């Protein structure tokens, strides 16, 4: 039985990893700045130990990590900025090395090691590089585009009007993955640390064009849905970082070997986009107040 410290445990990737580890019978130490939050309480209800940890407080990180076997590390610039993500990510890696953890699994982004020019990919790559030199056994898992984003934000707003609003041409393929598969794969890597140490793995569970995704969403929702290409200029007014990402998706794409991943790691239980779409409670999602008014 492992004791795994999980950052971002109240978020999508960390939460999915925590649940997968708990289901496999391991101890989860959920690290959060808000141990009294409803999301933290939900993790306690599943059997996790919740510890306070602040990425800007090195002592709190080391105290939270001491005694753990391994760490699942996730960073994000959203809500702060990429400079903060880099600083906090490196501090987390340094704390893991200081307490001599047996394995650090860092979740990055597919292609982040390929000089994409996408700000929040480049920031993650800098944390990856720091991890490689920290003197602690490491693995980097790098997810493709998140399916979960299609049930929130401007995409969900568009679906209310029968439009799959996505800033890519309708015929350009994109590799995809739901948070649940990221968590399942991360749990597999953590449980088989010796096998995965020193490896960087791009991961995805399916691949579709926006036109195909619109068709799948239409079937799952039970209403007509058509792809509408959102101009990059419009995205840029909201986020130059996201605009750069979609520009990369269109010009280069995210090639990930989905077939090999499904063949080599069937125990992950990879979900197709159709699997994910039919599992969503669209009636509730679509009846909620729009995110952008």
């Amino acid at each position: 039985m492992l004791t795994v410290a999980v950052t971002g445990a109240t978020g999508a990737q960390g939460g999915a990893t925590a649940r997968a580890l708990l289901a496999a019978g391991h101890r989860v130490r959920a690290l959060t700045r808000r141990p009294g939050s409803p999301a933290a309480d939900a993790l306690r209800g599943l059997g996790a130990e919740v510890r306070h940890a602040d990425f800007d407080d090195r002592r709190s990180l080391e105290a939270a990590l001491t005694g753990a076997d391994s760490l699942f590390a996730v960073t994000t610039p959203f809500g702060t900025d990429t400079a903060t993500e880099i600083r906090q990510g490196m501090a987390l890696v340094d704390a893991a090395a200081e307490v001599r953890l047996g394995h650090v699994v860092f979740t990055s982004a597919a292609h982040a090691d390929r000089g994409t020019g996408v700000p929040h990919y480049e920031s993650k790559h800098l944390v990856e590089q720091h991890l490689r030199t920290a003197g602690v056994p490491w693995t980097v898992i790098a997810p493709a585009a998140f399916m979960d984003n299609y049930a929130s934000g401007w995409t969900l707003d568009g679906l209310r009007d029968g439009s799959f609003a996505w800033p890519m041409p309708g015929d350009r393929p994109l590799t995809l993955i739901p948070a649940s598969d990221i968590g399942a794969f991360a749990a597999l890597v953590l449980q088989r640390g010796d096998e995965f140490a020193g490896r960087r793995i791009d991961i995805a569970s399916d691949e579709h064009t926006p036109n195909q995704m619109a068709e799948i969403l239409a079937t799952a929702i039970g209403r007509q849905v058509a792809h509408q290409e959102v101009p990059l200029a419009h995205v840029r007014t909201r986020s130059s970082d996201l605009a750069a990402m979609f520009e990369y998706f269109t010009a280069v794409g995210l090639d990930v070997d989905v077939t090999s991943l499904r063949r080599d790691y069937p125990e992950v239980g990879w979900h197709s986009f159709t699997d994910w779409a039919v599992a969503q409670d669209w009636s509730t999602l679509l009846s909620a107040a729009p995110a952008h008014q």
Side-chain angles (χ1 to χ4, degrees), residues 15 42 67 88-89 118 134 145 147 151 157 170 179 233 237 239 259 264:
Q88 293 181 340
V118 179
M147 294 180 190
D157 291 347
T237 64
S239 170
T259 301
D264 295 341

Side-chain angles (χ1 to χ4, degrees), residues 172-199:
R172 191 74 173 95
L174 182 66
T175 47
L176 308 158
I177 190 166
S180 59
D181 288 2
I182 300 172
F185 190 80
L188 177 71
V189 171
L190 286 157
Q191 292 172 96
R192 290 157 53 177
D194 290 345
E195 176 185 342
F196 286 97
R199 295 175 62 187

Side-chain angles (χ1 to χ4, degrees), residues 26 40 67 96 103 217 233 250:
H26 299 286
H103 191 196
L217 289 168
T250 297

Side-chain angles (χ1 to χ4, degrees), residues 48-59:
E49 174 193 5
V50 178
R51 291 274 191 100
H52 173 264
D54 187 332
F55 280 14
D56 288 320
D57 180 351
R58 176 69 175 268
R59 288 187 178 180

Side-chain angles (χ1 to χ4, degrees), residues 70-160:
S70 50
L71 166 69
F72 175 79
V74 59
T75 61
T76 179
F78 301 113
T80 55
D81 52 44
T82 53
T84 301
E85 178 181 25
I86 294 164
R87 184 185 73 249
Q88 293 181 340
M90 289 184 176
L92 181 59
V93 168
D94 290 342
E98 181 65 28
V99 303
R100 302 177 183 274
L101 285 191
H103 191 196
V104 174
V105 175
F106 176 66
T107 179
S108 179
H111 288 212
D113 59 339
R114 303 191 191 186
T116 64
V118 179
H120 75 278
Y121 283 30
E122 299 297 329
S123 55
K124 287 177 173 56
H125 188 227
L126 287 172
V127 178
E128 288 184 38
Q129 290 176 308
H130 190 66
L131 177 59
R132 289 171 182 259
T133 62
V136 61
W138 60 270
T139 305
V140 173
I141 64 172
F146 290 7
M147 294 180 190
D148 308 74
N149 288 342
Y150 300 141
S152 64
W154 76 57
T155 308
L156 183 61
D157 291 347
L159 289 174
R160 294 189 177 95

Side-chain angles (χ1 to χ4, degrees), residues 216-222 271-282:
I216 291 167
L217 289 168
T219 300
I221 295 170
H271 293 82
S272 68
F273 187 65
T274 299
D275 294 335
W276 173 84
V278 300
Q280 305 309 302
D281 183 0
W282 291 108

